[in-house]
Structure formats: structure tokens, C-alpha cells
Amino acid sequence: MVSKAQILRWLQVFASEIEQNKAYLTELDAAIGDADHGMNMDRGFKKVSTQLPTLSDKDIGEILKTVSMTLISSIGGASGPLYGTWFLRASTAVALKQELTEQDVLSLLQVGLDGLVQRGKAQLGDKTMVDVLSPAVVAFRLAVEANKGIVAAMQEAVAAAERGLQETISMQAKKGRASYLGERSIGHQDPGGTSAYLMLKSLLEVLESY
Ligand code: ADP
Ligand code: MG
């Protein structure tokens, strides 16, 4: 089971990972975009971070929905609406819940991804966060079906996310600003994929430590 406290902790850990990696994310976006991904994400998650203490009496669905609204209203660029959609759709998968089973976490990850894909229309191989989140969901599902337990399932999801992130380096961007570069986008790691990897890694960290 994943408790509401762990979900709040995850959001806190992710916000601080973003803060610590702000310059790195911006550097990645400078190579193939407009050098604002670190700033965009940090602006949104700083806001989320200050809201977290006020969210503890809400259910997990409401918490994730509030995060979504904050991200949509405070992040400029493609990543605001995309992460906003991910959190909004994820929130519908866990509406009214005070704690989550493995199945709940699986549907949160799956439904979040489906919403993101519906919104951004990126396919696998387009060099976006989908190339990180999608293999992670597949790995998580397989591990849950094999009854490996939530921590092992999340470890496998993060390992798959990391492989997906590495694979974005050799991809040519087909969506977002990086696609304007055509073949020149090849050879660089995707910034949004990198932040998505940090999001999953933060969840793993919390699951491993409680
Ligand atoms: P912007 O591109 O508007 O400056 P950011 O720099 O904050 O926004 O975010 C860029 C990231 O957004 C990319 O690295 C990519 O992972 C992600 N992205 C862009 N377009 C899409 C899309 N259509 N679907 C999924 N992810 C996308
Ligand atoms: Mg950018």
C-alpha cells in the first residue's frame, strides 16, 4: 500500500529533485530547445511545494488534481499542459482514495500516460517524455502481474525509464520545439524525458525509504 503521506512526500521529493536539477534540465533544453525546461518545471513545482502542507486533509485524487491545476496555471511552455494533463488524468484514476494498492499505482501511471499521449500526440520514438514514461508503465505492469511487490515493480519501472531516457539521445525529435531542429536534435538527451525520469525516481525513493 502507498499512503497519502507517501504521495505527499513523493511530490516534495520530486520538487526538490527539480530544484537540484534545474540547471541540468535547462542545459539539456538549451541544446535542442529554448533553455527554459528547468526554469519552467522549477517554477511549477516550487508552487506545488508551498501548497503541499495545505493538502494533507484531501484525498489522493484531490491532491493530484490540485497539483495539475497549479502546474497548468504556473508553467509556461509545452511541459505545463503536458504535466498538468498527466496529473489531472492520474488524479481520476485514484479519485477519493486515502491509500493506493499496486493496481491503483498501475492505473495512475497508465491513465496519466494515456492522457499525456492524447494531449501531446507523441508516439514512441518521437524523443519526448513518452519515451521514458511508456516503457516504465510496461515494466511496472509486468512486475505487478508477476507479484513482485510494489517496490520491486517500481525499481523495474525506473530502470526501464532510465533505458528509455538513454534511448532518447539517438532519436530525432518529432514533437515540440526540438523537432524544428530536424536531424540536429540527434545526439542530445530529451529534457522532458529527463524530468519524467526524475518524477519516477522520486516515487521509487519514497517507496524504498518508508
Ligand atoms: P517548451 O518546449 O515549450 O519550451 P519545455 O522546454 O518546458 O517546453 O518542455 C520541453 C519538453 O516537453 C520536451 O523535452 C519533451 O519531452 C516534451 N514535449 C514537447 N512536446 C511534446 C508532446 N507533443 N508530447 C509529449 N511531450 C512533449
Ligand atoms: Mg523549452
Side-chain angles (χ1 to χ4, degrees):
M1 281 288 189
V2 180
S3 68
K4 185 163 75 175
Q6 286 177 304
I7 293 294
L8 291 166
R9 180 95 191 107
W10 163 45
L11 296 166
Q12 189 64 66
V13 170
F14 183 33
S16 75
E17 283 281 343
I18 290 292
E19 185 173 38
Q20 284 161 40
N21 287 283
K22 184 179 170 184
Y24 174 52
L25 294 172
T26 289
E27 189 186 307
L28 293 172
D29 196 31
I32 55 170
D34 56 353
D36 65 353
H37 189 59
M39 202 185 68
N40 284 342
M41 294 296 288
D42 192 49
R43 187 189 306 124
F45 278 91
K46 273 217 165 65
K47 262 235 166 96
V48 167
S49 179
T50 60
Q51 278 178 330
L52 289 177
T54 67
L55 300 180
S56 52
D57 54 355
K58 295 186 188 279
D59 63 64
I60 295 172
E62 282 178 289
I63 291 169
L64 298 183
K65 190 172 173 196
T66 307
V67 170
S68 160
M69 296 304 151
T70 303
L71 297 180
I72 289 170
S73 66
S74 63
I75 303 186
S79 52
L82 290 168
Y83 273 101
T85 300
W86 190 89
F87 276 98
L88 184 63
R89 292 292 293 272
S91 80
T92 64
V94 295
L96 305 176
K97 295 196 186 280
Q98 300 288 340
E99 57 181 5
L100 307 180
T101 63
E102 292 166 15
Q103 284 299 329
D104 292 331
V105 175
L106 173 58
S107 65
L108 179 162
L109 294 172
Q110 180 73 65
V111 171
L113 172 66
D114 292 346
L116 177 72
V117 168
Q118 227 171 50
R119 170 96 199 208
K121 307 273 187 292
Q123 296 180 348
L124 270 179
D126 284 353
K127 198 183 184 93
T128 70
M129 46 183 100
V130 171
D131 293 306
V132 171
L133 295 171
S134 181
V137 176
V138 172
F140 190 84
R141 179 185 300 282
L142 286 173
V144 166
E145 284 170 359
N147 290 315
K148 292 190 178 177
I150 190 154
V151 174
M154 201 61 215
Q155 282 166 344
E156 293 189 11
V158 169
E162 192 169 9
R163 287 192 295 273
L165 179 58
Q166 290 305 317
E167 285 169 13
T168 66
I169 296 173
S170 61
M171 292 174 188
Q172 178 175 336
K174 297 283 164 52
K175 283 281 179 294
R177 274 176 204 282
S179 67
Y180 308 158
L181 291 182
E183 288 183 0
R184 281 183 295 138
S185 64
I186 297 172
H188 302 278
Q189 184 173 305
D190 181 54
T194 308
S195 58
Y197 166 73
L198 293 174
M199 178 169 81
L200 299 175
K201 192 172 75 97
S202 301
L203 180 55
L204 173 60
E205 252 175 64
V206 170
L207 296 182
E208 279 177 335
S209 65
Y210 281 67

